[in-house]
């Protein structure tokens, strides 16, 4: 009998929303960031996007994973079902694929996720009693060529050869039992009663009455570390007291979770503000250190200049002490005749320079006088014009004399060089 079409199954996730979710969750920073390496987050996103494109029944989520040492961490998972073909019928095996902190350099952690009416087959070549899956593809995982799409394809083929789950027998509530089909051949699973062999809504198409159910239920073994994904076993009683108690607990958990989320957001905002303030303080510290260093350098430069001035002062004072007696003997000497020039050009340069400086002093004295109103302004202009003309001639003559001196020095050096060459 051909199995009926899938009805009431979950609709596949929107690829655009899935990509948006992955981009948002992998780009988070701070305490809420996922514990994956920054250089692998883009590859993780690509793996999950390719997985949801190839298998829409697997949906990326974030949940809390609890390690064997009790440490809890928020990780990505792909939660849903994997299709497999067994005896010509397609079944959906519920699984959870956890992407561990070291993914994709190391393989993910895969668990089968039985519903309340499913049981894990024991013994099974690839699934232990706790639901953990171990297939050769996981054991031979090679970064970066291995990926989730190939992993799920291998799981589908492995489960098709040896289904890890089957339906547990249930008492028939119908007082008029319908005829039961014969057990499946060589499968080792109990037969599912006709009319009662449908699987829960997340397991794909129901199976016709002639086939054994390779499906999966709650187990008496320790639960797999699904974290915030919650326990997947359902209460066996519909007692109103139990329902009320369960609803109250759920409400309390939701309230506490909301309060924790609010507190975390507030603390994150405070931490962000403190981090920004710390960055500003560090910038100001750098500016202050730079200013202190500049002042220390300037202080050292001033101290060196002070030492030089003190040394020069000592030299001048010593010279004055040595020449004090000579000063008394030179009181009757004419100042203008105190210096003898070596040649006519030097004498002419001395006279031009003395005249230029003398005119500069006279112009300065005229400026002071006109500011104080000691002389009329028109007289000031006439005198400044005459003095400036005379000062110009002195400076022009000094320039020509300086050029002649330079030529004489060059000629002298050339004659000396020729003597050494010869």
């Amino acid at each position: 009998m051909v199995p009926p079409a899938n009805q009431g199954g979950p609709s596949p996730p929107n690829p655009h929303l899935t990509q948006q979710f992955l981009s948002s969750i992998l780009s988070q920073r701070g305490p809420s960031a996922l514990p994956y390496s920054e250089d692998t987050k883009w590859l993780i996103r690509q793996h999950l996007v390719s997985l949801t494109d190839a298998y829409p029944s697997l949906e990326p989520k974030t949940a809390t994973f609890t390690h064997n040492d009790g440490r809890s961490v928020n990780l990505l998972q792909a939660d849903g079902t994997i299709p497999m073909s067994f005896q010509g019928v397609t079944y959906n095996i519920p699984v959870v694929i956890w992407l561990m902190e070291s993914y994709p350099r190391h393989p993910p952690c895969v668990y089968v996720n039985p519903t309340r009416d499913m049981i894990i087959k024991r013994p099974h070549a690839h699934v232990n009693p706790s639901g953990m899956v171990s297939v050769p593809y996981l054991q031979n995982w090679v970064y970066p060529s291995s990926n989730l799409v190939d992993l799920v394809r291998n799981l589908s083929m492995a489960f098709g050869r040896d289904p890890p789950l089957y339906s547990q027998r249930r008492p028939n509530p119908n007082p008029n039992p319908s005829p039961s089909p014969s057990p499946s051949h060589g499968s080792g699973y109990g037969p599912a009663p006709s009319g009662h062999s449908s699987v829960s809504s997340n397991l794909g198409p129901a199976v016709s009455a002639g086939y054994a159910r390779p499906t999966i239920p709650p187990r008496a073994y320790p639960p797999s570390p699904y974290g915030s994904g919650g326990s997947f076993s359902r209460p066996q009683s519909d007692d109103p007291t139990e329902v009320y108690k369960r609803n109250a607990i759920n409400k309390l958990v939701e309230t506490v979770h909301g309060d924790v989320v609010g507190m975390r957001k507030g603390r994150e905002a405070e931490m962000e503000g403190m981090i920004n303030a710390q960055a500003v303080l560090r910038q100001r510290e750098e500016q202050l250190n730079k200013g202190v260093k500049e002042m220390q350098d300037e202080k050292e430069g001033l101290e060196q200049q002070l030492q030089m001035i003190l040394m020069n002062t000592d030299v001048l004072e010593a010279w004055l002490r040595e020449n004090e007696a000579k000063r008394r003997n030179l009181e009757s000497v004419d100042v203008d005749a105190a210096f003898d020039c070596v040649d006519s050009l030097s004498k002419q340069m001395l006279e031009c320079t003395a005249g230029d400086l003398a005119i500069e002093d006279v112009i300065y004295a005229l400026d002071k006088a006109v500011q104080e109103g000691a002389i009329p302004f028109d007289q000031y202009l006439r005198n400044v014009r005459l003095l400036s003309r005379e000062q110009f001639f002195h400076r022009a003559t000094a320039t020509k004399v300086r050029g002649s001196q330079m030529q004489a020095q060059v000629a002298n050096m050339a004659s000396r060089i020729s003597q050494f060459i010869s």
Side-chain angles (χ1 to χ4, degrees), residues 326-361:
K326 297 178 181 179
R327 184 182 64 82
R328 300 191 187 94
N329 299 330
L330 295 175
E331 288 179 355
S332 60
V333 177
D334 185 10
V335 176
D336 294 332
F339 297 95
D340 292 331
C341 297
V342 295
D343 54 12
S344 60
L345 291 177
S346 299
K347 183 176 182 181
Q348 191 174 5
M349 175 63 74
L350 181 61
E351 291 175 354
C352 291
T353 304
D356 181 13
L357 296 176
I359 293 173
E360 191 73 27
D361 292 341

mmCIF file of all heavy atoms in Angstrom, residues 326-361:
data_model
loop_
_atom_site.group_PDB
_atom_site.id
_atom_site.type_symbol
_atom_site.label_atom_id
_atom_site.label_comp_id
_atom_site.label_asym_id
_atom_site.label_seq_id
_atom_site.Cartn_x
_atom_site.Cartn_y
_atom_site.Cartn_z
ATOM 1 N N LYS A 326 93.934 96.930 31.581
ATOM 2 C CA LYS A 326 94.100 97.499 30.250
ATOM 3 C C LYS A 326 93.060 98.573 29.974
ATOM 4 O O LYS A 326 93.326 99.535 29.245
ATOM 5 C CB LYS A 326 93.984 96.403 29.197
ATOM 6 C CG LYS A 326 95.066 95.334 29.312
ATOM 7 C CD LYS A 326 94.861 94.259 28.256
ATOM 8 C CE LYS A 326 95.923 93.172 28.393
ATOM 9 N NZ LYS A 326 95.730 92.106 27.401
ATOM 10 N N ARG A 327 91.866 98.462 30.564
ATOM 11 C CA ARG A 327 90.817 99.448 30.300
ATOM 12 C C ARG A 327 91.211 100.836 30.801
ATOM 13 O O ARG A 327 90.905 101.841 30.156
ATOM 14 C CB ARG A 327 89.512 98.969 30.964
ATOM 15 C CG ARG A 327 88.311 99.860 30.677
ATOM 16 C CD ARG A 327 87.091 99.352 31.393
ATOM 17 N NE ARG A 327 87.266 99.418 32.829
ATOM 18 C CZ ARG A 327 87.067 100.530 33.554
ATOM 19 N NH1 ARG A 327 86.724 101.667 32.967
ATOM 20 N NH2 ARG A 327 87.237 100.504 34.849
ATOM 21 N N ARG A 328 91.921 100.861 31.934
ATOM 22 C CA ARG A 328 92.334 102.160 32.462
ATOM 23 C C ARG A 328 93.347 102.825 31.534
ATOM 24 O O ARG A 328 93.360 104.050 31.390
ATOM 25 C CB ARG A 328 92.930 101.987 33.855
ATOM 26 C CG ARG A 328 91.972 101.393 34.873
ATOM 27 C CD ARG A 328 92.526 101.486 36.287
ATOM 28 N NE ARG A 328 91.718 100.804 37.242
ATOM 29 C CZ ARG A 328 91.897 99.549 37.640
ATOM 30 N NH1 ARG A 328 92.908 98.842 37.123
ATOM 31 N NH2 ARG A 328 91.095 98.977 38.515
ATOM 32 N N ASN A 329 94.218 102.047 30.920
ATOM 33 C CA ASN A 329 95.216 102.606 30.023
ATOM 34 C C ASN A 329 94.628 103.066 28.696
ATOM 35 O O ASN A 329 95.243 103.862 27.978
ATOM 36 C CB ASN A 329 96.317 101.582 29.753
ATOM 37 C CG ASN A 329 97.050 101.177 31.026
ATOM 38 O OD1 ASN A 329 97.159 101.998 31.958
ATOM 39 N ND2 ASN A 329 97.553 99.950 31.075
ATOM 40 N N LEU A 330 93.437 102.557 28.340
ATOM 41 C CA LEU A 330 92.827 102.876 27.051
ATOM 42 C C LEU A 330 91.774 103.979 27.119
ATOM 43 O O LEU A 330 91.058 104.200 26.149
ATOM 44 C CB LEU A 330 92.176 101.611 26.461
ATOM 45 C CG LEU A 330 93.144 100.478 26.094
ATOM 46 C CD1 LEU A 330 92.349 99.257 25.632
ATOM 47 C CD2 LEU A 330 94.104 100.934 25.000
ATOM 48 N N GLU A 331 91.711 104.695 28.297
ATOM 49 C CA GLU A 331 90.691 105.732 28.429
ATOM 50 C C GLU A 331 90.966 106.905 27.490
ATOM 51 O O GLU A 331 90.052 107.574 27.033
ATOM 52 C CB GLU A 331 90.622 106.203 29.873
ATOM 53 C CG GLU A 331 90.005 105.177 30.805
ATOM 54 C CD GLU A 331 89.977 105.672 32.243
ATOM 55 O OE1 GLU A 331 90.537 106.775 32.488
ATOM 56 O OE2 GLU A 331 89.388 104.985 33.102
ATOM 57 N N SER A 332 92.235 107.137 27.180
ATOM 58 C CA SER A 332 92.582 108.262 26.314
ATOM 59 C C SER A 332 92.634 107.891 24.838
ATOM 60 O O SER A 332 92.948 108.723 24.003
ATOM 61 C CB SER A 332 93.962 108.830 26.743
ATOM 62 O OG SER A 332 94.950 107.821 26.629
ATOM 63 N N VAL A 333 92.315 106.636 24.492
ATOM 64 C CA VAL A 333 92.382 106.180 23.096
ATOM 65 C C VAL A 333 91.105 106.569 22.386
ATOM 66 O O VAL A 333 90.005 106.464 22.934
ATOM 67 C CB VAL A 333 92.604 104.659 23.053
ATOM 68 C CG1 VAL A 333 92.596 104.161 21.613
ATOM 69 C CG2 VAL A 333 93.914 104.310 23.737
ATOM 70 N N ASP A 334 91.250 107.040 21.108
ATOM 71 C CA ASP A 334 90.086 107.370 20.292
ATOM 72 C C ASP A 334 89.363 106.080 19.907
ATOM 73 O O ASP A 334 89.983 105.122 19.439
ATOM 74 C CB ASP A 334 90.547 108.130 19.043
ATOM 75 C CG ASP A 334 89.375 108.606 18.210
ATOM 76 O OD1 ASP A 334 88.218 108.507 18.701
ATOM 77 O OD2 ASP A 334 89.587 109.045 17.064
ATOM 78 N N VAL A 335 88.061 106.099 20.097
ATOM 79 C CA VAL A 335 87.274 104.878 19.806
ATOM 80 C C VAL A 335 87.314 104.549 18.329
ATOM 81 O O VAL A 335 87.399 103.381 17.928
ATOM 82 C CB VAL A 335 85.824 105.061 20.292
ATOM 83 C CG1 VAL A 335 84.974 103.853 19.905
ATOM 84 C CG2 VAL A 335 85.793 105.292 21.784
ATOM 85 N N ASP A 336 87.262 105.601 17.502
ATOM 86 C CA ASP A 336 87.234 105.344 16.061
ATOM 87 C C ASP A 336 88.560 104.775 15.558
ATOM 88 O O ASP A 336 88.582 104.083 14.532
ATOM 89 C CB ASP A 336 86.937 106.641 15.306
ATOM 90 C CG ASP A 336 85.533 107.144 15.603
ATOM 91 O OD1 ASP A 336 84.676 106.264 15.915
ATOM 92 O OD2 ASP A 336 85.266 108.349 15.523
ATOM 93 N N ALA A 337 89.642 105.062 16.277
ATOM 94 C CA ALA A 337 90.945 104.553 15.852
ATOM 95 C C ALA A 337 91.362 103.298 16.595
ATOM 96 O O ALA A 337 92.507 102.855 16.491
ATOM 97 C CB ALA A 337 92.000 105.634 16.043
ATOM 98 N N ALA A 338 90.413 102.706 17.349
ATOM 99 C CA ALA A 338 90.762 101.521 18.149
ATOM 100 C C ALA A 338 90.905 100.291 17.285
ATOM 101 O O ALA A 338 91.588 99.329 17.667
ATOM 102 C CB ALA A 338 89.699 101.293 19.220
ATOM 103 N N PHE A 339 90.276 100.260 16.134
ATOM 104 C CA PHE A 339 90.321 99.086 15.258
ATOM 105 C C PHE A 339 90.994 99.471 13.955
ATOM 106 O O PHE A 339 90.669 100.501 13.354
ATOM 107 C CB PHE A 339 88.891 98.564 14.976
ATOM 108 C CG PHE A 339 88.184 98.102 16.200
ATOM 109 C CD1 PHE A 339 87.327 98.970 16.881
ATOM 110 C CD2 PHE A 339 88.377 96.824 16.695
ATOM 111 C CE1 PHE A 339 86.672 98.541 18.018
ATOM 112 C CE2 PHE A 339 87.723 96.411 17.832
ATOM 113 C CZ PHE A 339 86.866 97.266 18.503
ATOM 114 N N ASP A 340 91.914 98.659 13.503
ATOM 115 C CA ASP A 340 92.606 98.853 12.232
ATOM 116 C C ASP A 340 92.153 97.771 11.254
ATOM 117 O O ASP A 340 92.127 96.574 11.596
ATOM 118 C CB ASP A 340 94.126 98.758 12.423
ATOM 119 C CG ASP A 340 94.661 99.927 13.235
ATOM 120 O OD1 ASP A 340 94.036 100.993 13.158
ATOM 121 O OD2 ASP A 340 95.672 99.728 13.951
ATOM 122 N N CYS A 341 91.788 98.198 10.057
ATOM 123 C CA CYS A 341 91.321 97.251 9.032
ATOM 124 C C CYS A 341 92.526 96.716 8.265
ATOM 125 O O CYS A 341 93.528 97.414 8.064
ATOM 126 C CB CYS A 341 90.374 97.948 8.063
ATOM 127 S SG CYS A 341 88.872 98.552 8.889
ATOM 128 N N VAL A 342 92.411 95.496 7.795
ATOM 129 C CA VAL A 342 93.530 94.849 7.118
ATOM 130 C C VAL A 342 93.708 95.351 5.694
ATOM 131 O O VAL A 342 94.810 95.293 5.145
ATOM 132 C CB VAL A 342 93.319 93.320 7.105
ATOM 133 C CG1 VAL A 342 93.339 92.764 8.515
ATOM 134 C CG2 VAL A 342 92.009 92.942 6.415
ATOM 135 N N ASP A 343 92.612 95.825 5.062
ATOM 136 C CA ASP A 343 92.720 96.329 3.691
ATOM 137 C C ASP A 343 91.662 97.395 3.472
ATOM 138 O O ASP A 343 90.836 97.679 4.343
ATOM 139 C CB ASP A 343 92.577 95.198 2.678
ATOM 140 C CG ASP A 343 91.306 94.390 2.886
ATOM 141 O OD1 ASP A 343 90.427 94.843 3.658
ATOM 142 O OD2 ASP A 343 91.174 93.290 2.297
ATOM 143 N N SER A 344 91.672 97.953 2.302
ATOM 144 C CA SER A 344 90.748 99.053 1.996
ATOM 145 C C SER A 344 89.308 98.572 1.902
ATOM 146 O O SER A 344 88.364 99.283 2.287
ATOM 147 C CB SER A 344 91.174 99.726 0.682
ATOM 148 O OG SER A 344 91.155 98.778 -0.389
ATOM 149 N N LEU A 345 89.117 97.363 1.365
ATOM 150 C CA LEU A 345 87.738 96.836 1.267
ATOM 151 C C LEU A 345 87.121 96.650 2.648
ATOM 152 O O LEU A 345 85.952 96.966 2.879
ATOM 153 C CB LEU A 345 87.741 95.514 0.507
ATOM 154 C CG LEU A 345 88.063 95.586 -0.997
ATOM 155 C CD1 LEU A 345 88.105 94.191 -1.606
ATOM 156 C CD2 LEU A 345 87.024 96.448 -1.723
ATOM 157 N N SER A 346 87.913 96.128 3.588
ATOM 158 C CA SER A 346 87.394 95.938 4.945
ATOM 159 C C SER A 346 87.086 97.283 5.592
ATOM 160 O O SER A 346 86.074 97.427 6.296
ATOM 161 C CB SER A 346 88.410 95.163 5.792
ATOM 162 O OG SER A 346 88.655 93.899 5.242
ATOM 163 N N LYS A 347 87.940 98.277 5.353
ATOM 164 C CA LYS A 347 87.676 99.599 5.920
ATOM 165 C C LYS A 347 86.415 100.192 5.344
ATOM 166 O O LYS A 347 85.588 100.787 6.064
ATOM 167 C CB LYS A 347 88.870 100.507 5.635
ATOM 168 C CG LYS A 347 88.743 101.889 6.249
ATOM 169 C CD LYS A 347 90.010 102.715 6.020
ATOM 170 C CE LYS A 347 89.878 104.080 6.676
ATOM 171 N NZ LYS A 347 91.086 104.920 6.460
ATOM 172 N N GLN A 348 86.232 100.038 4.007
ATOM 173 C CA GLN A 348 85.033 100.569 3.379
ATOM 174 C C GLN A 348 83.784 99.837 3.900
ATOM 175 O O GLN A 348 82.735 100.453 4.133
ATOM 176 C CB GLN A 348 85.135 100.412 1.857
ATOM 177 C CG GLN A 348 84.072 101.173 1.087
ATOM 178 C CD GLN A 348 84.307 101.101 -0.413
ATOM 179 O OE1 GLN A 348 85.212 100.405 -0.872
ATOM 180 N NE2 GLN A 348 83.523 101.837 -1.161
ATOM 181 N N MET A 349 83.878 98.513 4.111
ATOM 182 C CA MET A 349 82.742 97.743 4.655
ATOM 183 C C MET A 349 82.407 98.189 6.064
ATOM 184 O O MET A 349 81.233 98.318 6.435
ATOM 185 C CB MET A 349 83.095 96.241 4.649
ATOM 186 C CG MET A 349 82.031 95.355 5.306
ATOM 187 S SD MET A 349 80.454 95.418 4.456
ATOM 188 C CE MET A 349 80.842 94.455 3.012
ATOM 189 N N LEU A 350 83.448 98.492 6.866
ATOM 190 C CA LEU A 350 83.221 98.970 8.233
ATOM 191 C C LEU A 350 82.506 100.305 8.214
ATOM 192 O O LEU A 350 81.558 100.530 8.998
ATOM 193 C CB LEU A 350 84.557 99.057 8.973
ATOM 194 C CG LEU A 350 84.496 99.523 10.422
ATOM 195 C CD1 LEU A 350 83.664 98.576 11.283
ATOM 196 C CD2 LEU A 350 85.908 99.657 10.993
ATOM 197 N N GLU A 351 82.950 101.222 7.353
ATOM 198 C CA GLU A 351 82.312 102.535 7.295
ATOM 199 C C GLU A 351 80.856 102.431 6.830
ATOM 200 O O GLU A 351 79.961 103.091 7.382
ATOM 201 C CB GLU A 351 83.109 103.432 6.348
ATOM 202 C CG GLU A 351 84.483 103.818 6.870
ATOM 203 C CD GLU A 351 85.286 104.611 5.869
ATOM 204 O OE1 GLU A 351 84.774 104.745 4.704
ATOM 205 O OE2 GLU A 351 86.381 105.076 6.210
ATOM 206 N N CYS A 352 80.590 101.605 5.819
ATOM 207 C CA CYS A 352 79.205 101.452 5.326
ATOM 208 C C CYS A 352 78.304 100.853 6.398
ATOM 209 O O CYS A 352 77.165 101.296 6.608
ATOM 210 C CB CYS A 352 79.201 100.584 4.077
ATOM 211 S SG CYS A 352 79.965 101.372 2.636
ATOM 212 N N THR A 353 78.821 99.853 7.092
ATOM 213 C CA THR A 353 78.016 99.206 8.134
ATOM 214 C C THR A 353 77.740 100.162 9.279
ATOM 215 O O THR A 353 76.612 100.223 9.807
ATOM 216 C CB THR A 353 78.719 97.949 8.649
ATOM 217 O OG1 THR A 353 78.987 97.073 7.550
ATOM 218 C CG2 THR A 353 77.874 97.224 9.664
ATOM 219 N N ALA A 354 78.779 100.940 9.685
ATOM 220 C CA ALA A 354 78.586 101.904 10.775
ATOM 221 C C ALA A 354 77.571 102.971 10.375
ATOM 222 O O ALA A 354 76.698 103.356 11.164
ATOM 223 C CB ALA A 354 79.923 102.534 11.138
ATOM 224 N N GLY A 355 77.678 103.473 9.122
ATOM 225 C CA GLY A 355 76.724 104.482 8.676
ATOM 226 C C GLY A 355 75.320 103.944 8.610
ATOM 227 O O GLY A 355 74.340 104.623 8.994
ATOM 228 N N ASP A 356 75.147 102.675 8.134
ATOM 229 C CA ASP A 356 73.813 102.061 8.056
ATOM 230 C C ASP A 356 73.193 101.933 9.437
ATOM 231 O O ASP A 356 72.030 102.297 9.664
ATOM 232 C CB ASP A 356 73.952 100.694 7.385
ATOM 233 C CG ASP A 356 72.620 99.989 7.225
ATOM 234 O OD1 ASP A 356 71.556 100.637 7.395
ATOM 235 O OD2 ASP A 356 72.608 98.765 6.921
ATOM 236 N N LEU A 357 73.957 101.450 10.403
ATOM 237 C CA LEU A 357 73.424 101.286 11.756
ATOM 238 C C LEU A 357 73.133 102.622 12.415
ATOM 239 O O LEU A 357 72.148 102.767 13.172
ATOM 240 C CB LEU A 357 74.404 100.473 12.590
ATOM 241 C CG LEU A 357 74.636 99.025 12.116
ATOM 242 C CD1 LEU A 357 75.702 98.350 12.977
ATOM 243 C CD2 LEU A 357 73.337 98.238 12.171
ATOM 244 N N ALA A 358 73.980 103.625 12.148
ATOM 245 C CA ALA A 358 73.761 104.947 12.738
ATOM 246 C C ALA A 358 72.462 105.557 12.209
ATOM 247 O O ALA A 358 71.671 106.139 12.967
ATOM 248 C CB ALA A 358 74.943 105.855 12.435
ATOM 249 N N ILE A 359 72.229 105.445 10.910
ATOM 250 C CA ILE A 359 70.987 105.973 10.330
ATOM 251 C C ILE A 359 69.778 105.222 10.904
ATOM 252 O O ILE A 359 68.725 105.822 11.157
ATOM 253 C CB ILE A 359 71.047 105.874 8.797
ATOM 254 C CG1 ILE A 359 72.118 106.828 8.248
ATOM 255 C CG2 ILE A 359 69.696 106.162 8.178
ATOM 256 C CD1 ILE A 359 72.358 106.670 6.762
ATOM 257 N N GLU A 360 69.930 103.911 11.123
ATOM 258 C CA GLU A 360 68.837 103.107 11.711
ATOM 259 C C GLU A 360 68.490 103.652 13.094
ATOM 260 O O GLU A 360 67.308 103.794 13.453
ATOM 261 C CB GLU A 360 69.260 101.640 11.800
ATOM 262 C CG GLU A 360 68.130 100.675 12.136
ATOM 263 C CD GLU A 360 67.193 100.469 10.968
ATOM 264 O OE1 GLU A 360 67.620 100.616 9.808
ATOM 265 O OE2 GLU A 360 66.005 100.171 11.229
ATOM 266 N N ASP A 361 69.510 103.999 13.888
ATOM 267 C CA ASP A 361 69.250 104.559 15.219
ATOM 268 C C ASP A 361 68.571 105.924 15.121
ATOM 269 O O ASP A 361 67.664 106.239 15.910
ATOM 270 C CB ASP A 361 70.570 104.682 15.989
ATOM 271 C CG ASP A 361 71.147 103.310 16.318
ATOM 272 O OD1 ASP A 361 70.369 102.323 16.288
ATOM 273 O OD2 ASP A 361 72.364 103.226 16.591
#
